[in-house]
Amino acid sequence: HAMLAEGSVIYETVKQQKSLKSVVDTIFLAILTHAPDAAMRKLAEQEIKTADSPAAGCGDLIWSLLNTREFMFIE
């Protein structure tokens, strides 16, 4: 939950981004250390757009990436 809190590095970095593409790139680079492919980007952007708020969508994306096998392997 600390990653989703105001004042965390990822929260402050995402907040400064001007476009949805850069928001998604920032989250992927912070969590998985690579940019998303086209399919991942589409799903991530859709999640952010359809969430109750952009912040909630970003939180959902961060949470889902933290729970991937890829993240667990990197960690």
Side-chain angles (χ1 to χ4, degrees):
H1 294 292
M3 292 183 78
L4 304 176
E6 190 170 346
S8 73
V9 173
I10 192 167
Y11 179 93
E12 296 300 325
T13 304
V14 167
K15 190 169 80 170
Q16 294 174 7
Q17 303 306 308
K18 302 294 182 200
S19 69
L20 187 54
K21 179 186 182 302
S22 61
V23 166
V24 171
D25 285 345
T26 299
I27 293 171
F28 268 80
L29 289 170
I31 306 293
L32 299 179
T33 69
H34 65 80
D37 63 23
M40 289 178 189
R41 179 180 307 286
K42 183 178 178 180
L43 289 171
E45 289 179 358
Q46 181 180 357
E47 175 59 36
I48 293 170
K49 288 178 185 176
T50 60
D52 292 338
S53 70
C58 289
D60 291 344
L61 177 58
I62 291 169
W63 188 252
S64 65
L65 293 177
L66 288 173
N67 286 290
T68 63
R69 288 184 180 164
E70 182 177 357
F71 176 77
M72 291 180 196
F73 176 76
I74 293 169
E75 184 180 41

